[in-house]
Amino acid sequence: MGGRVAVRGKVAAVTGAGSGIGRALVVELARRDARVSGCDTDAEGLAATAALVPGMHTAVVDVSQRAAMFAYAEAVRSHFGVVHQVYNNAGIAFSQPVAESSWEDYERVFRVNLNGVIHGTQAFLPHL
């Protein structure tokens, strides 16, 4: 994260905050004095991230579920009173050969990696 994004005092929501890039985003945003909310389907991973960032707002959310994302966006707005930034970071992958992969595998990836971004953008846009 370069110095271009102003975050001091801003409210930032991060999807996929329970591990990897999402966790790193949350930690760095908090280090830069942002007020942070994070969501993930992995409650344990999310709790581990929250342990690194005292005061972090959290929610267990599946970004592929449209209604859940809209509820999360409203919860973040209600908790902080405002939302300034959203980081649609949640994503999944699988590593099976194509011949061994089911269509359901691909559909799950599309629901999280594509629909999750659309849901997050549509849910948070009215609050930004």
Side-chain angles (χ1 to χ4, degrees), residues 89-112:
N89 167 73
I92 62 170
F94 64 95
S95 60
Q96 298 179 76
V98 172
E100 297 174 21
S101 301
S102 70
W103 182 246
E104 289 77 22
D105 292 332
Y106 290 105
E107 285 181 323
R108 176 72 179 143
V109 170
F110 293 146
R111 283 193 308 270
V112 172

Side-chain angles (χ1 to χ4, degrees), residues 14-119:
V14 179
T15 67
S19 64
I21 294 170
R23 179 175 289 160
L25 276 167
V26 166
V27 169
E28 181 63 15
L29 288 163
R31 187 187 72 75
R32 294 179 182 213
D33 296 324
R35 296 177 290 160
V36 183
S37 177
C39 74
D40 204 292
T41 57
D42 176 7
E44 289 180 22
L46 190 58
T49 301
L52 300 171
V53 179
M56 177 182 166
H57 175 265
T58 64
V60 176
V61 178
D62 180 345
V63 299
S64 74
Q65 301 300 310
R66 183 175 174 77
M69 278 304 292
F70 275 80
Y72 173 57
E74 181 56 34
V76 175
R77 191 216 47 86
S78 293
H79 181 81
F80 290 109
V82 66
V83 182
H84 298 104
Q85 301 170 349
V86 61
Y87 294 81
N88 285 309
N89 167 73
I92 62 170
F94 64 95
S95 60
Q96 298 179 76
V98 172
E100 297 174 21
S101 301
S102 70
W103 182 246
E104 289 77 22
D105 292 332
Y106 290 105
E107 285 181 323
R108 176 72 179 143
V109 170
F110 293 146
R111 283 193 308 270
V112 172
N113 296 359
L114 176 61
N115 296 354
V117 172
I118 295 167
H119 296 160

